Amino acid sequence: MASIDAFVDFAVKNYQVDPNRIYMGGYSAGAFISWEYAIKHPNKVAAILPLAGAVFPRLKNEICKAKDVSVWAFHGVDDQSVDVKKAKRAITAYNACQPITPARLTLFDETGHGSHQQVLELRGMHKYSVSGDPFDENIYTWLMSQSLSSN
């Protein structure tokens, strides 16, 4: 976590980075890390996009620290590597914190652990499970609409 935070600080200091528009995303283990960063540094990240991941069990009681960070998570219903129930529990716990904007969880039927390709390449738009939030918006447009000042 310290290395990631140092990288964020370096980027803000040395590049034209808007510190109100820092986004974290990750696939699988990276999704767990994006959740952790949001919990540990909620004042630095405007939004997270966890793909096929959830919250580390050791952090489940701290999830409300991230309630001001916008969250849109994605997961394959048939994921055999990270059970979709873990993602659902993370979103339920987060939304129980009463964030200004409830977290979204988009699910893909008949998709395993590789749902990230459908998300990042926008191929999964309008092909999501009716049991989850719709994937009806470009994720890049959604990210750019998030900022610390609006959260």
Side-chain angles (χ1 to χ4, degrees):
M1 214 36 45
S3 296
I4 295 170
D5 193 44
F7 174 78
V8 170
D9 289 343
F10 178 85
V12 168
K13 183 178 178 183
N14 294 287
Y15 298 100
Q16 294 181 353
V17 173
D18 181 346
N20 290 314
R21 293 184 183 279
I22 294 175
Y23 313 117
M24 269 299 148
Y27 163 64
S28 193
F32 283 84
I33 295 298
S34 66
W35 272 109
E36 182 171 0
Y37 193 84
I39 290 167
K40 302 270 186 187
H41 301 284
N43 59 328
K44 288 188 173 184
V45 63
I48 62 169
L49 197 71
L51 310 170
V55 174
F56 288 117
R58 63 183 162 75
L59 297 172
K60 68 180 182 179
N61 294 328
E62 297 182 51
I63 197 165
C64 288
K65 291 179 180 178
K67 75 179 184 93
D68 293 329
V69 176
S70 297
V71 177
W72 190 358
F74 294 83
H75 215 97
V77 172
D78 296 331
D79 193 328
Q80 299 297 306
S81 297
V82 179
D83 194 319
V84 70
K85 291 176 192 169
K86 293 178 181 180
K88 289 179 179 180
R89 282 195 297 269
I91 298 300
T92 299
Y94 174 89
N95 285 337
C97 302
Q98 301 181 332
I100 294 170
T101 305
R104 296 170 67 175
L105 174 60
T106 299
L107 302 173
F108 296 104
D109 289 330
E110 300 175 16
T111 301
H113 197 56
S115 62
H116 62 291
Q117 291 176 325
Q118 292 184 65
V119 177
L120 298 175
E121 296 171 7
L122 304 177
R123 289 186 288 132
M125 288 183 74
H126 309 291
K127 298 176 186 172
Y128 51 86
S129 172
V130 295
S131 65
D133 292 309
F135 186 15
D136 57 357
E137 181 179 359
N138 181 313
I139 56 167
Y140 304 105
T141 302
W142 177 83
L143 283 169
M144 291 303 295
S145 71
Q146 310 304 315
S147 71
L148 288 176
S149 57
S150 68
N151 288 356

